[in-house]
Amino acid sequence: MTLRPETISAKALPSSTASDQVFADRAIIPPIQLATTYARDAAYQLVGPGYARDENPTPVHAERVIATLEGGAEALAFASGMAAATAVFRAACRPGDRIVAPLAGYYNLRGWLERFCAQWGLDLQVVDMTDLAAVRAAIRPGTRVVWVESPANPTWEVTDLAAVGALARAAGALFAVDSTSATPVHCKPLALGADLVMHSATKFLGGHSDVLAGVLVTARTDATWAAIRQLRHDEGACLGPFEAYLLLRGLRTLFVRVERSSATAAALAARLQPLCTVLYPGLPSHPQHAIAAAQMQRGFGSMLAIRTGGGAERALAVIRKLRLWVPATSLGGVESLVEHRYTVEGANTPTPQDLLRLAVGIEHVEDLFDDLAQALA
Ligand SMILES: *Cc1c(COP(=O)(O)O)cnc(C)c1O
């Protein structure tokens, strides 16, 4: 029987047809296996894993669960989301290649891409991924990677994944999607034509702000995937077993957490509209709402942004009045966080000064709304 994603997640099953009800020793939860190496048999052959830099069974288990949830062939877990993202470019690109990357997206990856491309002689094209004509103009033969993030930090623009994927494929480029904010609950980029999906598992997949992890999922096990696997093996940015255990623990509640926080985000977005400008893909007023409705399921995610007006000063004053929303960088935990991205990103950022990023957790919607309403009043 083919199992549904909620069941795969709740039971941390490594495949959608898994029939085993229990793990080793009849444990009902996946074990942590701490061994760094495994004994060989009498013929000096390996029976299971060998030296466990990247073969430890606990991270391998987490990889299989996430690959199954994304509908991919295989997954690789990394020590952080940045380790996962940078591995793609480092394994796939050579000097002279072109990289097409999004204007809206995780700020630190943009900074790293600028340094990486300057150092190694790559041609970085940063484009507005919501403008298909601009994307078409930027992708040309010699383009090696097209990277997008959807919905994208910190304005939650949505990229038409099928359309950008078709442009990338026509040019022979690898199409990779940072789906951290969408999670496998809301979007399946591989089904829309992506070659690779990346998650900062530090966020929703882990879900409790207590583990740093990253993951890549591939549509197929091709030469690029082999190069990424080799790079992780050689450089060792692997996920440790304790972290993988925490990730598996978080994955088992992924659907209930994300469905709740995204329903709360949708309610907050609607109710905040009379008070301020709201950026949320689920609002009909959002410029890419139709695309989001077509390529996302079960809601529009747990991330939104508000524009307070009155520049950085007013945005920071609103944060100071909040009692429940914690001023902190990050997202995807069970607790709601507020972030002034302009302060964090510095003067060269395109992020508006009056923008507050809201990462919605699983607290009661009325408490979260009341706190925002009194702070904005
Ligand atoms: C946090 C984040 C990353 C980086 O992940 P780390 O686990 O912090 O290395 C990349 N992309 C997005 C969208 C993120 O939110």
Side-chain angles (χ1 to χ4, degrees), residues 80-83 106 149 153 178 180 198 200 202-203 212-213 331:
S80 70
M82 278 301 288
Y106 185 63
E149 180 178 320
N153 265 288
D178 181 340
T180 298
M198 174 255 159
S200 168
T202 312
K203 314 296 167 53
L212 201 67
L331 52 111

Side-chain angles (χ1 to χ4, degrees), residues 1-4 8 16-18:
M1 103 198 216
T2 304
L3 300 169
R4 293 168 181 81
I8 291 159
S16 60
T17 52

Side-chain angles (χ1 to χ4, degrees), residues 202-203 206-212 330-335 337:
T202 312
K203 314 296 167 53
H208 295 76
S209 308
D210 59 4
V211 58
L212 201 67
S330 202
L331 52 111
V334 292
E335 61 290 309
L337 304 180

Side-chain angles (χ1 to χ4, degrees), residues 58-79:
T58 307
V60 166
H61 188 124
E63 289 169 350
R64 292 198 178 132
V65 176
I66 295 168
T68 304
L69 290 175
E70 285 289 0
E74 283 183 5
L76 286 170
F78 289 81

